[in-house]
Amino acid sequence: MEKITCKSDALIKRQLALNDALELLSGKWKIVLLRSLYLSGTMRFKDLLETVKGISPKILSKELQQLEENLLITRTVNKTKPITVSYTLTDHAHETLPVIHALIEFGLKHRIEIRQKLL
């Protein structure tokens, strides 16, 4: 049996960390929701539904629940009549912002490359 070296242990840890991050941010809506909350601050469910075009209430609810479980957003029940629920990014979620910005920059550059290639 081959002994795992420190270098391969580090590589395994990095791969697992990448898998965790990809799972955390995967899907069509999570990054869009995080970005919307970053740009607008605290938002109600209805506001998110209007802002994120194409998402259904059922999927929005599921995505918000997963983001909350992963400590990226805080859900607050407001004692209004009728009761409203609002969502805010956690401090932990702000660590995803450089990743989101990097993806946006890559997307912009990629679009230019594709357009130039097609012309």
Side-chain angles (χ1 to χ4, degrees):
M1 183 181 259
E2 184 179 328
K3 184 178 178 184
I4 296 177
T5 65
C6 291
K7 189 172 184 175
S8 63
D9 282 347
L11 290 174
I12 291 169
K13 285 181 183 178
R14 293 183 70 77
Q15 183 62 50
L16 292 173
L18 177 60
N19 291 348
D20 290 345
L22 289 173
E23 186 175 328
L24 182 68
L25 299 174
S26 69
K28 184 176 179 179
W29 303 109
K30 287 189 182 76
I31 290 176
V32 175
L33 289 168
L34 291 172
R35 184 172 182 268
S36 294
L37 287 167
Y38 174 68
L39 293 174
S40 300
T42 300
M43 295 180 76
R44 296 180 322 180
F45 185 90
K46 180 182 172 187
D47 298 330
L48 282 165
L49 199 54
E50 291 172 1
T51 302
V52 180
K53 301 294 181 203
I55 194 168
S56 70
K58 181 179 178 179
I59 297 298
L60 176 58
S61 180
K62 179 182 149 227
E63 296 289 303
L64 290 170
Q65 187 176 34
Q66 289 175 357
L67 289 169
E68 184 181 11
E69 287 170 0
N70 285 295
L71 308 177
L72 295 177
I73 62 170
T74 301
R75 179 180 183 269
T76 304
V77 177
N78 305 305
K79 296 180 181 181
T80 57
K81 290 188 181 182
I83 291 176
T84 57
V85 177
S86 59
Y87 299 90
T88 308
L89 291 180
T90 63
D91 290 338
H92 183 55
H94 285 275
E95 294 178 35
T96 67
L97 297 177
V99 175
I100 293 169
H101 287 294
L103 286 170
I104 291 168
E105 291 303 314
F106 172 78
L108 291 170
K109 289 178 185 175
H110 179 70
R111 282 179 178 262
I112 291 168
E113 289 289 325
I114 294 298
R115 283 189 189 135
Q116 287 176 348
K117 190 169 187 163
L118 294 176
L119 295 177

